[in-house]
Every structure is written in C-alpha cells, then in structure tokens.
Amino acid sequence: MGVNERTKNVGCHCLARSRLPLMRSPQLQAHIYILAAVATVLSAVCVRAQNVQPAGATNHIVVIRQVHFNPPQMTVKAGETVEWKNEDIFSHTVTADDGSFDSGLIDPDNSWQRTFQQAGTVGYHCRPHPNMRAALVVQGTNGTGAAANAASRGGTLKWSPPTKAQELHPILVNFTAALLPLAFLSDVLGRIFRRQSFHHTAWWMVLYAAVITPFTAAAGWWWRLTEGSTLPAKLITVHEWLGTTAVLLFVVLAIWRWSIHKRDTSPNWAYLTFALIVVLALVYQGSLGGRMVFGK
Amino acid sequence: MKLRKSYLSVFTSAVLLVAGAVTAYAQAPTDPQIAGIVQTANHIDINQAKLALKKTSNPQVKEFANQMISDHTSLEKSVNDLAKKLGVTPEDSATSKQLKQQAADETKKLASLRGKAFDKEYASHEVAFHQTVIDAAKTTLIPNANNAELKSALEGAAPLLQGHLEHAQQLEQSLGAK
C-alpha cells in the first residue's frame, strides 16, 4: 500500500512536471494565481484609464476669435494649465516663438491645453496667420516644478482613483523600482548565506518586475504622447527609449532567471553582472524621471 | 536678378491694384457689388490653391494652399450667410471683372511653370494678391459699404487677410532662401 502510494505520487509529480514545469507545488500555484490577479487588475486599470479623457484642470482660458488671441497677454503660475479655445471660423495654431511647443491645427470649436512648468516669458503666434501674436508670462514658484506648485497650493489629501498617465506612471514605477534591485539583492544574499529561499524570492521578484514593467512603460508612453510637449525634449528622448529597452531587458532577465530557477541552482556571476547593469540603468532612468518632474 | 524679377512682379501687381482701387473708388461700388468682389476674390484664391496642390511637391506650399482653401471656404460661407441675411445678391462690377481677368492671366502663367519656379511664382503672386485685396478693402470696400453689418464684416476680415499676407511673405522668403 505504502509502496503503491509512493509510486502513484511520483507518477503524478512527473506528469505535472512534464506538462507545466512551474506547477510543482500548491505554493507555486498560489504564486501564479496572485500574479494573474495582479496582471488582471493592472490591465483593468490601464483600460479604464485610457477610456477616460485626461481631464486636466484648466486654470486659464485664452479665446481665439476673429483672428486674435484674447487676452493677448496672460500671466500664470508655474504648474498651471492654459486652455486655448478656438471660437473662430478658421483653424489656428498656438506655436511658441522659441519652438518649445506647438498645438498643431486647432479646428473651429476645438481647444488645446498645455501645462507650463518653466518660469519665463514665452511669445507665441499662429503659424497660418503670423500676425496673430500673444505672450504668456509664467511666474516661478519658490521651488520649481509641479511638486513645489502643489505645495504652494496646499495640495489635497482627498483620495481619487488615478486616471491620468501623470498619476499612473509614478505609481507603477514604484513596483519596477522596488522589485528589480531587491531581486538582485536577494540573489546576492542567497550566495552569501547559501540559502535557496533567497534565490526563490529573487526569481519571483524578477518575474513580477517583467510583468509589471510593460504597464509602467505603457503609462510612461501615454504621458509622453499626451503631454510630451511639456517635458524637456532631451531628457524625455533618453528616458522613453531607455525605458522601452528596459522592458525588453527585463524579459531577457526573467527568462534567464527562470532557466536558473528550473535547474534549482544559484545564479552565476554572468547573470549577477547582467542584473547589476540593468539595476544601474534603472537607477539612472529613475533619476532622469525625477529630474523631469522636479527640475534640476 | 531673380530677386529683381519678383520685386518687379509685386510692383506691377501693386500698380495694377492701386489702379484698380482708384477705378473702383471712382465708381463707388454698391453693397451687392462689394459682396460680388469679396466672393470673386475668395473664388480666385481657392482655385489657385487647388492648382498649387496639383502642381507642387513642396510641403510648405501644400500647407499654405490647404490653409487658403480652408480659410477662404469658411470666409466665403460667412459672406454668403451674411448676404442672404441682409437680402443682398452679389453682383459683378468692373472691379470683379478686372480681378477675374487678372486671375485668368495668372492661372495661365502658373500652368506653364513647374517645380521650384511654380512654387516661387505662386508664393509671390499670393503676396501681391492679398496685398491687393487688403488695399481694396481699406480704400474702397469698407468706406463704401452702406450696411453697417457688411462694413463690420469687412473690417473683421482684415486681420485674416493680413495673416495670409504675412504667411505668404514667409513662404516666399523661405523659397527664395533655399
């Protein structure tokens, strides 16, 4: 009986192993369920968010009527949003004289908005009608950027679900930024203390990072596509491509880590070196992101 | 040499325009005639922009031509709406006939040109044409408009035409600099 049962167990184990290498124990199955749940929630959040028009609070309105910008000069505070409403019968653009922004053609009865972070005076005009000229004075707050501006306004503690890329990206970044360095640290600790549980933890964190990071990058791209003109051009170009590369690197890293996990060994130095490079790239990537939001 | 040629064409157009304006002023157009002149000017600019879209491969010229079609179509619609509202039926006049004749000559000239030569001629003619229309509006159309609404509509169109003039000047300059 005992022998029979053991044989049966082994057979079951082998079957499961040959079909799905991951489904080794109920504990691992639970991990997969959690992972699936996280992915579902995240994709639900992203789909919902994309359906909602990013309704930025408009602080000021410039009306375009009879081939004029009204008012022709306006003063706003850094971090405030200006909306241009085209109430004319012709299409117009809002184009910075220094090339720092361009609305593209705004058709009649449409509008365009932009948030201004950098203090200074910027003249703008309409490309099709160069005689339409106006200016915007952006007053700096005590600090620079959105954080300082939120501080000066007092901010709000009221909870509201994240609906804009500017809210989702920083939230998702937390997961990416925490999981990968911790996975690396966990592998290093596993080698120091020769404990396999550290390596198991590392594998799962690398997997989570590879699953979540595409969402982080998608939110980043969404931000870039909707409000990209408000971000420093040089920084955002590096940030967007480094971020996209990171998504691919994470997938490579996860596959590599999985092959190590499958053999139930601890990672070799080649893997750890690669992981360290990715972690350092991630730190640099994070510093670029911070610089764009909070200034130098 | 080329520069002198383009100046010459602007100058000639300006002379023609002043002459036209003077003639028109002497004849003091009526409101239906004013509406007719505006309608004709709109038509001319739309048709020449359509020709430009067919002939040019320069993206700046295309952008400008598309804008002329879009802006002048909107302007035409607003003029027609106003004329209907005021019960004014646009009429031909010496000025509108003269505009049409000049446009026919210019279209013939443009049709014979291609490539960069076409782009330059189109741009410099747009400069001259808008200058002509702006001057005609200032010296003839606005002062002679009887109906207050027509008068203010003409005054309202001035910044649009000025915008087109400046855009056309930019275009001409960028084509000349290349």
Side-chain angles (χ1 to χ4, degrees):
Chain A
M1 187 66 192
V3 174
N4 255 349
E5 206 173 311
R6 221 171 80 198
T7 320
K8 213 168 137 191
N9 268 348
V10 169
C12 192
H13 184 76
C14 287
L15 194 70
R17 191 175 191 157
S18 64
R19 277 194 188 157
L20 261 175
L22 285 179
M23 298 245 183
R24 278 192 215 162
S25 70
Q27 208 187 345
L28 293 190
Q29 256 177 327
H31 272 294
I32 288 166
Y33 287 138
I34 292 170
L35 191 63
V38 168
T40 312
V41 168
L42 283 177
S43 53
V45 165
C46 285
V47 167
R48 190 188 112 75
Q50 266 158 6
N51 289 336
V52 177
Q53 197 72 10
T58 303
N59 308 96
H60 303 275
I61 291 176
V62 177
V63 175
I64 306 173
R65 201 183 287 151
Q66 296 185 324
V67 201
H68 281 97
F69 292 110
N70 261 312
Q73 175 145 359
M74 181 177 264
T75 303
V76 306
K77 289 196 179 78
E80 286 187 323
T81 300
V82 181
E83 180 176 353
W84 280 266
K85 277 183 147 171
N86 185 2
E87 296 183 359
D88 208 346
I89 56 171
F90 312 107
S91 299
H92 298 290
T93 70
V94 177
T95 306
D97 296 346
D98 62 7
S100 58
F101 57 85
D102 189 342
S103 64
L105 277 181
I106 310 167
D107 288 335
D109 298 323
N110 279 281
S111 65
W112 179 75
Q113 50 176 266
R114 186 182 190 275
T115 304
F116 293 86
Q117 304 290 7
Q118 301 232 304
T121 301
V122 60
Y124 63 90
H125 61 275
C126 164
R127 266 187 293 121
H129 312 102
N131 58 329
M132 290 172 68
R133 316 203 131 268
L136 201 68
V137 181
V138 183
Q139 285 180 336
T141 43
N142 285 335
T144 45
N149 190 53
S152 75
R153 278 203 311 260
T156 174
L157 292 172
K158 219 179 103 192
W159 189 84
S160 60
T163 51
K164 287 194 290 182
Q166 287 90 320
E167 295 162 340
L168 279 171
H169 186 62
I171 292 171
L172 291 171
V173 157
N174 284 311
F175 293 94
T176 303
L179 285 168
L180 201 78
L182 284 179
F184 174 72
L185 184 68
S186 201
D187 267 334
V188 171
L189 290 176
R191 281 193 74 107
I192 293 173
F193 296 109
R194 303 191 179 284
R195 290 274 290 275
Q196 203 56 25
S197 61
F198 278 116
H199 292 306
H200 286 313
T201 312
W203 146 241
W204 284 109
M205 284 197 281
V206 170
L207 180 62
Y208 290 148
V211 170
I212 287 170
T213 305
F215 291 99
T216 312
W221 272 102
W222 179 23
W223 185 343
R224 198 245 176 288
L225 294 174
T226 49
E227 298 277 329
S229 57
T230 63
L231 299 166
K234 223 160 97 188
L235 291 182
I236 186 63
T237 310
V238 177
H239 190 77
E240 71 194 34
W241 292 113
L242 188 56
T244 307
T245 312
V247 171
L248 298 174
L249 286 179
F250 282 23
V251 172
V252 172
L253 202 68
I255 293 170
W256 193 350
R257 193 62 192 79
W258 174 69
S259 72
I260 296 164
H261 177 74
K262 205 174 59 172
R263 282 183 272 117
D264 218 13
T265 57
S266 46
N268 56 18
W269 289 109
Y271 170 83
L272 287 177
T273 310
F274 181 65
L276 179 63
I277 292 168
V278 178
V279 167
L280 291 178
L282 193 65
V283 170
Y284 178 62
Q285 172 76 344
S287 75
L288 290 181
R291 218 173 290 170
M292 279 190 284
V293 178
F294 301 110
K296 287 148 221 161
Chain B
M1 194 59 200
K2 272 181 184 168
L3 199 70
R4 261 179 66 192
K5 219 170 155 186
S6 96
Y7 273 130
L8 196 70
S9 88
V10 173
F11 180 73
T12 318
S13 312
V15 168
L16 281 174
L17 128 81
V18 171
V22 168
T23 324
Y25 189 70
Q27 289 168 351
T30 61
D31 282 2
Q33 284 175 339
I34 290 172
I37 291 166
V38 174
Q39 214 178 38
T40 306
N42 270 324
H43 269 290
I44 289 170
D45 211 47
I46 292 169
N47 287 336
Q48 282 180 350
K50 282 181 182 166
L51 178 67
L53 281 183
K54 267 189 218 157
K55 296 201 67 159
T56 190
S57 55
N58 182 311
Q60 280 178 296
V61 176
K62 270 191 186 156
E63 193 189 346
F64 179 82
N66 274 320
Q67 183 204 338
M68 288 308 115
I69 292 172
S70 154
D71 280 8
H72 281 283
T73 305
S74 301
L75 187 63
E76 188 177 34
K77 190 183 171 299
S78 78
V79 169
N80 287 349
D81 288 351
L82 181 67
K84 213 175 272 176
K85 185 185 157 198
L86 301 177
V88 170
T89 312
E91 267 175 26
D92 255 346
S93 60
T95 310
S96 70
K97 279 178 191 157
Q98 194 186 349
L99 282 173
K100 277 179 197 166
Q101 186 52 52
Q102 284 169 5
D105 293 345
E106 181 62 25
T107 304
K108 219 179 273 175
K109 188 174 174 187
L110 283 170
S112 71
L113 297 171
R114 43 178 32 213
K116 211 168 160 181
F118 172 89
D119 292 344
K120 281 186 172 181
E121 174 59 30
Y122 174 64
S124 73
H125 180 259
E126 281 299 292
V127 170
F129 180 76
H130 279 95
Q131 190 65 65
T132 306
V133 176
I134 290 168
D135 291 348
K138 260 188 213 159
T139 58
T140 316
L141 307 182
I142 295 172
N144 285 306
N146 260 323
N147 185 288
E149 255 184 280
L150 180 63
K151 197 186 271 262
S152 83
L154 290 169
E155 282 164 349
L160 177 80
L161 298 172
Q162 183 65 31
H164 290 178
L165 173 66
E166 289 182 23
H167 191 180
Q169 282 168 336
Q170 282 180 0
L171 184 68
E172 190 185 25
Q173 222 167 21
S174 80
L175 288 170
K178 266 179 203 165

